[in-house]
mmCIF file of all heavy atoms in Angstrom:
data_model
loop_
_atom_site.group_PDB
_atom_site.id
_atom_site.type_symbol
_atom_site.label_atom_id
_atom_site.label_comp_id
_atom_site.label_asym_id
_atom_site.label_seq_id
_atom_site.Cartn_x
_atom_site.Cartn_y
_atom_site.Cartn_z
ATOM 1 N N ASP N 111 79.855 114.559 94.179
ATOM 2 C CA ASP N 111 79.324 114.613 92.798
ATOM 3 C C ASP N 111 80.304 114.196 91.819
ATOM 4 O O ASP N 111 79.974 113.644 90.763
ATOM 5 C CB ASP N 111 78.895 116.113 92.536
ATOM 6 C CG ASP N 111 80.026 117.089 92.786
ATOM 7 O OD1 ASP N 111 80.910 116.825 93.678
ATOM 8 O OD2 ASP N 111 80.101 118.139 92.075
ATOM 9 N N ILE N 112 81.613 114.099 92.195
ATOM 10 C CA ILE N 112 82.636 113.669 91.237
ATOM 11 C C ILE N 112 83.047 112.221 91.668
ATOM 12 O O ILE N 112 83.019 111.306 90.788
ATOM 13 C CB ILE N 112 83.946 114.499 91.292
ATOM 14 C CG1 ILE N 112 83.660 115.860 90.625
ATOM 15 C CG2 ILE N 112 85.123 113.845 90.596
ATOM 16 C CD1 ILE N 112 84.750 116.882 90.823
ATOM 17 N N SER N 113 83.300 111.993 92.881
ATOM 18 C CA SER N 113 83.788 110.700 93.320
ATOM 19 C C SER N 113 82.740 109.645 93.164
ATOM 20 O O SER N 113 83.053 108.423 92.892
ATOM 21 C CB SER N 113 84.266 110.686 94.768
ATOM 22 O OG SER N 113 83.205 110.958 95.640
ATOM 23 N N LYS N 114 81.446 109.896 93.302
ATOM 24 C CA LYS N 114 80.431 108.960 93.048
ATOM 25 C C LYS N 114 79.892 108.893 91.678
ATOM 26 O O LYS N 114 78.934 108.283 91.408
ATOM 27 C CB LYS N 114 79.253 109.249 94.079
ATOM 28 C CG LYS N 114 79.678 109.333 95.504
ATOM 29 C CD LYS N 114 80.414 108.171 96.010
ATOM 30 C CE LYS N 114 80.985 108.420 97.379
ATOM 31 N NZ LYS N 114 82.137 107.568 97.765
ATOM 32 N N ALA N 115 80.360 109.745 90.804
ATOM 33 C CA ALA N 115 79.880 109.891 89.510
ATOM 34 C C ALA N 115 80.216 108.627 88.663
ATOM 35 O O ALA N 115 81.244 108.030 88.822
ATOM 36 C CB ALA N 115 80.443 111.075 88.773
ATOM 37 N N ARG N 116 79.305 108.325 87.766
ATOM 38 C CA ARG N 116 79.582 107.295 86.769
ATOM 39 C C ARG N 116 80.296 108.025 85.592
ATOM 40 O O ARG N 116 79.950 109.209 85.311
ATOM 41 C CB ARG N 116 78.330 106.679 86.219
ATOM 42 C CG ARG N 116 77.524 105.949 87.215
ATOM 43 C CD ARG N 116 78.373 105.219 88.169
ATOM 44 N NE ARG N 116 77.696 104.147 88.912
ATOM 45 C CZ ARG N 116 78.152 103.575 89.961
ATOM 46 N NH1 ARG N 116 79.272 103.969 90.517
ATOM 47 N NH2 ARG N 116 77.468 102.531 90.545
ATOM 48 N N ALA N 117 81.300 107.408 84.968
ATOM 49 C CA ALA N 117 82.103 108.102 84.036
ATOM 50 C C ALA N 117 81.319 108.898 82.949
ATOM 51 O O ALA N 117 81.657 110.053 82.709
ATOM 52 C CB ALA N 117 83.082 107.167 83.328
ATOM 53 N N ASP N 118 80.326 108.207 82.441
ATOM 54 C CA ASP N 118 79.708 108.894 81.324
ATOM 55 C C ASP N 118 78.849 110.058 81.640
ATOM 56 O O ASP N 118 78.530 110.887 80.835
ATOM 57 C CB ASP N 118 78.808 107.879 80.548
ATOM 58 C CG ASP N 118 79.657 106.761 80.009
ATOM 59 O OD1 ASP N 118 80.865 107.011 79.740
ATOM 60 O OD2 ASP N 118 79.191 105.591 79.851
ATOM 61 N N ASP N 119 78.509 110.218 82.992
ATOM 62 C CA ASP N 119 77.771 111.360 83.381
ATOM 63 C C ASP N 119 78.579 112.604 83.440
ATOM 64 O O ASP N 119 78.147 113.693 83.162
ATOM 65 C CB ASP N 119 77.217 111.275 84.831
ATOM 66 C CG ASP N 119 76.361 110.016 84.987
ATOM 67 O OD1 ASP N 119 75.926 109.553 83.952
ATOM 68 O OD2 ASP N 119 76.228 109.522 86.119
ATOM 69 N N ARG N 120 79.844 112.437 83.768
ATOM 70 C CA ARG N 120 80.667 113.612 84.128
ATOM 71 C C ARG N 120 81.901 113.890 83.281
ATOM 72 O O ARG N 120 82.306 115.022 83.227
ATOM 73 C CB ARG N 120 81.350 113.277 85.617
ATOM 74 C CG ARG N 120 80.305 113.258 86.748
ATOM 75 C CD ARG N 120 79.797 114.539 87.176
ATOM 76 N NE ARG N 120 80.938 115.500 87.345
ATOM 77 C CZ ARG N 120 80.809 116.677 87.967
ATOM 78 N NH1 ARG N 120 79.627 117.009 88.478
ATOM 79 N NH2 ARG N 120 81.845 117.439 88.119
ATOM 80 N N LEU N 121 82.398 112.854 82.583
ATOM 81 C CA LEU N 121 83.653 113.036 81.917
ATOM 82 C C LEU N 121 83.544 113.650 80.498
ATOM 83 O O LEU N 121 83.713 112.939 79.587
ATOM 84 C CB LEU N 121 84.467 111.752 81.983
ATOM 85 C CG LEU N 121 84.731 111.306 83.334
ATOM 86 C CD1 LEU N 121 85.607 110.023 83.292
ATOM 87 C CD2 LEU N 121 85.315 112.307 84.227
ATOM 88 N N GLN N 122 83.120 114.859 80.439
ATOM 89 C CA GLN N 122 82.829 115.482 79.146
ATOM 90 C C GLN N 122 84.075 116.056 78.479
ATOM 91 O O GLN N 122 84.072 116.360 77.340
ATOM 92 C CB GLN N 122 81.813 116.693 79.366
ATOM 93 C CG GLN N 122 80.565 116.228 80.099
ATOM 94 C CD GLN N 122 79.778 115.159 79.384
ATOM 95 O OE1 GLN N 122 79.947 114.966 78.210
ATOM 96 N NE2 GLN N 122 79.018 114.355 80.114
ATOM 97 N N GLN N 123 85.176 116.239 79.245
ATOM 98 C CA GLN N 123 86.353 116.883 78.656
ATOM 99 C C GLN N 123 87.359 115.831 78.345
ATOM 100 O O GLN N 123 87.657 114.938 79.153
ATOM 101 C CB GLN N 123 86.842 117.922 79.586
ATOM 102 C CG GLN N 123 85.879 119.096 79.735
ATOM 103 C CD GLN N 123 86.551 120.352 79.969
ATOM 104 O OE1 GLN N 123 87.647 120.679 79.544
ATOM 105 N NE2 GLN N 123 85.791 121.320 80.621
ATOM 106 N N HIS N 124 88.034 115.926 77.200
ATOM 107 C CA HIS N 124 89.119 114.956 76.871
ATOM 108 C C HIS N 124 90.346 115.715 76.655
ATOM 109 O O HIS N 124 90.346 116.791 76.063
ATOM 110 C CB HIS N 124 88.792 114.313 75.449
ATOM 111 C CG HIS N 124 87.615 113.361 75.546
ATOM 112 N ND1 HIS N 124 87.497 112.123 74.939
ATOM 113 C CD2 HIS N 124 86.429 113.573 76.183
ATOM 114 C CE1 HIS N 124 86.381 111.584 75.202
ATOM 115 N NE2 HIS N 124 85.701 112.348 75.933
#
Side-chain angles (χ1 to χ4, degrees):
D111 50 333
I112 290 172
S113 64
K114 307 302 171 204
R116 298 322 201 195
D118 295 334
D119 301 341
R120 294 280 315 190
L121 301 183
Q122 306 300 338
Q123 298 210 25
H124 292 223

